[in-house]
Amino acid sequence: MQRHVMLPKLQQSSYFIFPESVGWYSDQPNHIVSRPEGAWTTYSLHFVISGKGYVELDEVVHPIQKGDAFLFFPYQKQNYYSSKDDPWNVRWVHFYGEHLKEFLLEKDFYAICGR
């Protein structure tokens, strides 16, 4: 199952954080995302409900499983995919906002994966 909900993107917004889209994938063993650096303009946060998958970060493959989450910053290269043997059930949200980068970096959030 695949479900996507796209929201209107505000051209001028004073909101600290605002969702751009939300969705989930389940029972999709061929789910793969590969975005080159500079291609994606929003933050991308994923949470694994069940199953397994993989996130590639700096050419290192990180196994992801139930309870794990991963975050990509805007314009960052993104490579992640579901396990073929145990496909993940993953929820995600793409978001943007004023001063988010500074806030996340101040709180020691970087493009990360794991619990």
Side-chain angles (χ1 to χ4, degrees), residues 20-40:
E20 183 263 353
S21 57
V22 296
W24 69 84
Y25 287 88
S26 63
D27 299 319
Q28 300 287 311
N30 295 319
H31 177 225
I32 183 169
V33 172
S34 182
R35 296 182 179 116
E37 185 176 348
W40 205 251

Side-chain angles (χ1 to χ4, degrees), residues 15-101:
Y15 293 110
F16 176 70
I17 188 170
F18 203 80
E20 183 263 353
S21 57
V22 296
W24 69 84
Y25 287 88
S26 63
D27 299 319
Q28 300 287 311
N30 295 319
H31 177 225
I32 183 169
V33 172
S34 182
R35 296 182 179 116
E37 185 176 348
W40 205 251
T41 61
T42 60
Y43 293 84
S44 180
L45 178 63
H46 293 69
F47 182 74
V48 179
I49 305 298
S50 63
K52 297 177 184 173
Y54 304 91
V55 174
E56 294 181 17
L57 186 61
D58 298 327
E59 300 188 29
V60 176
V61 177
H62 301 271
I64 303 294
Q65 63 187 355
K66 177 182 177 179
D68 289 341
F70 56 96
L71 168 69
F72 285 104
F73 276 49
Y75 306 106
Q76 185 180 12
K77 180 179 178 180
Q78 298 182 20
N79 288 309
Y80 53 92
Y81 46 94
S82 180
S83 164
K84 293 197 181 292
D85 298 329
D86 187 9
W88 60 17
N89 178 352
V90 65
R91 304 293 197 268
W92 55 265
V93 60
H94 297 161
F95 57 94
Y96 61 98
E98 292 295 316
H99 311 291
L100 271 176
K101 181 177 181 180

